[in-house]
């Protein structure tokens, strides 16, 4: 973070925010208390400069908002220390509680030490309500009804497949739906029991696979890959070229998976495959980043974007901040409907979201969701 930016931030505020320190906070954590009307200003300024505050609480009736930060120079390195910080960060502050801590001016030196948030975090209800009113007029939502998705089907090795294809792919060519930003393909495919998509070649694309139901197994020219279950995710850099195969690992039940292609940040990269299992509890009532650009806490994505998942329970709300120059593609995998502002999305519906601001998703019924962040400014690289 540059000193010029810090001076701009501090001078922009009516007065300097103040830090409130607490001896009970683990090393590497700090909290800053500011007037509530200043909170969205601080949040937007810090986020656009990628310092990523962890969360803030609005204290009703007190006119204050509390930010929680990690200091990069003291960032806890062990999982145990990080767990202590996160446990503290996740403690709820009751509406009537105002911490009584020693205060000091928020200096340029202190702000220059603010570090990145290690993970996306869920926010308290009063924060979600507060943020949902900020800049929503800058967000435009276009619904993609399920009946407009291309219905694909056919025979493959040892079985059949059915697909809902969102964008042009293979024999499906739609001038109206030919990708979204640097998102090139989103296919929702189901393989019958024991069915195999035989080895076939790909080049250049960044591929993300998400398992919706059943057991997914991947193979490529190097041999067999691991098995993934519901909620599991795989990233593949196809790069200069590779052969791979998608397999239903079960002989008794169908297997449903989502395959996503992003335009890569550069051509002819070395092929690679990474995957991980994800438990439902990790994504319940929050956006859990699975694959992301330049995020060491997720599987890598060598394209400007991210893939996030959520299991959203009835009546719950989750927020995501849409950055300038980016878009969001929300897909209701199962259940629903969910509401995004004034748009209602039943099962298998999707929505393209453009603009800048906070996007709130509310569950009218339980729902499994995928959220794709895309770049609206980056196309195919030249090298």
């Amino acid at each position: 973070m540059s000193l010029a930016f810090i001076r701009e931030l501090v001078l922009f505020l009516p007065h300097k925010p103040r830090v409130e320190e607490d001896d009970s906070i683990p090393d590497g954590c700090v909290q800053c208390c500011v007037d509530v009307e200043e909170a969205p200003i601080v949040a937007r300024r810090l986020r656009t400069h990628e310092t990523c505050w962890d969360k803030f609480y609005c204290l009703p009736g007190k006119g204050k908002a509390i930010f929680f930060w990690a200091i990069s120079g003291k960032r806890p390195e062990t999982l145990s220390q990080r767990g202590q910080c996160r446990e503290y960060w996740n403690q709820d502050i009751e509406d009537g509680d105002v911490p009584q801590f020693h205060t000091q001016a928020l200096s340029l030196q202190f702000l220059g030490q603010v570090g990145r948030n290690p993970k996306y975090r869920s926010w308290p209800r009063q924060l979600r309500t507060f943020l949902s009113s900020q800049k929503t007029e800058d967000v435009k939502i276009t619904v993609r009804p399920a009946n407009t998705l291309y219905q694909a089907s056919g025979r493959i090795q040892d079985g059949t497949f059915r697909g809902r294809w969102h964008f042009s792919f293979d024999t499906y060519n739609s001038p109206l739906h030919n990708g979204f930003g640097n998102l090139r393909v989103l296919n929702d495919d189901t393989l019958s029991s024991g069915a195999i998509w035989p080895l076939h070649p790909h080049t250049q694309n960044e591929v993300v696979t998400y398992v919706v139901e059943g057991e997914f197994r991947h193979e490529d020219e190097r041999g067999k890959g691991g098995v993934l279950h519901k909620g599991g995710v795989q990233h593949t850099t196809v790069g200069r070229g590779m052969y791979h195969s998608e397999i239903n690992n079960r002989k008794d039940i169908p297997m449903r998976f989502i395959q996503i292609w992003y335009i890569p940040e550069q051509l002819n990269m070395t092929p690679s495959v990474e995957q991980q299992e994800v438990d439902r509890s990790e994504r319940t009532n929050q956006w859990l980043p699975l694959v992301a650009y330049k995020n060491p806490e997720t599987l890598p994505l060598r394209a400007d974007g991210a893939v996030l998942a959520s299991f959203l329970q009835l009546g719950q709300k989750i927020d995501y901040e849409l950055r300038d120059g980016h878009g969001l593609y929300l897909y209701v995998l199962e259940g629903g409907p969910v509401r995004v502002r004034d748009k209602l999305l039943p099962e298998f519906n999707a929505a393209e979201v453009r603009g800048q601001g906070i996007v709130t998703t509310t569950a009218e019924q339980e729902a499994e969701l995928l959220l794709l962040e895309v770049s609206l400014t980056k196309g195919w690289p030249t090298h």
Side-chain angles (χ1 to χ4, degrees), residues 183 185-187 205-211 216 228 232-238 244 246 257-262 274 290-292 299-303 305-308 370-372:
L183 173 63
V185 166
L186 194 158
N187 289 350
N205 292 294
E206 286 289 287
V207 179
V208 179
T209 302
Y210 181 83
V211 183
F216 170 90
L228 285 173
V233 62
Q234 180 189 84
H235 164 261
T236 303
T237 291
V238 176
H244 79 160
E246 296 95 355
F257 68 106
I258 308 298
Q259 189 157 104
I260 300 158
W261 293 5
Y262 279 91
E274 307 87 15
L290 304 172
V291 184
L299 295 183
L301 182 65
R302 297 173 180 92
V307 177
L308 305 95
L370 269 188
L371 184 68
L372 282 59

Side-chain angles (χ1 to χ4, degrees), residues 20-71:
E20 298 199 358
E21 297 180 332
D22 179 4
D23 292 338
S24 69
I25 304 178
D27 289 343
C29 297
V30 87
Q31 66 179 25
C32 167
C33 183
V34 302
D35 288 342
V36 72
E37 62 268 18
E38 296 172 347
I41 300 171
V42 176
R44 287 199 296 272
R45 288 301 182 90
L46 292 177
R47 281 219 163 177
T48 56
H49 208 74
E50 297 187 347
T51 49
C52 265
W53 47 273
D54 188 83
K55 68 168 65 170
F56 73 78
Y57 290 85
C58 293
L59 305 179
K62 303 297 180 180
K64 295 293 182 182
I66 307 288
F67 284 79
F68 290 95
W69 278 319
I71 307 305

Side-chain angles (χ1 to χ4, degrees), residues 191-209:
L191 305 190
S192 63
S193 304
I196 299 172
W197 228 311
L199 281 173
H200 54 279
H202 288 296
T203 59
Q204 305 306 348
N205 292 294
E206 286 289 287
V207 179
V208 179
T209 302

Side-chain angles (χ1 to χ4, degrees), residues 118-120 274 276 288-301 305-307:
K119 279 198 173 183
Y120 293 75
E274 307 87 15
Q276 66 177 20
L288 177 69
L290 304 172
V291 184
Y293 184 57
K294 294 183 178 179
N295 184 344
E297 301 291 334
T298 71
L299 295 183
L301 182 65
V307 177

Side-chain angles (χ1 to χ4, degrees), residues 16 80 85 109 112 137 153 252 300 321 352 364 372 381:
K16 291 182 181 180
S80 173
C85 286
Q109 181 181 6
E137 68 278 3
S153 62
D252 56 338
E321 184 173 14
E352 294 180 358
E364 305 272 325
L372 282 59

Side-chain angles (χ1 to χ4, degrees), residues 47 120-125 127-132 285-287 317-322 358-361 371:
R47 281 219 163 177
Y120 293 75
R121 305 302 305 171
S122 57
W123 296 330
R125 186 177 300 277
L127 168 62
R128 291 196 297 260
T129 302
F130 179 79
L131 278 185
S132 297
N285 297 330
Q286 66 173 328
W287 285 122
K317 298 180 180 181
I318 48 176
D319 294 302
Y320 194 85
E321 184 173 14
L322 176 55
I358 301 299
V359 179
T360 301
T361 304
L371 184 68

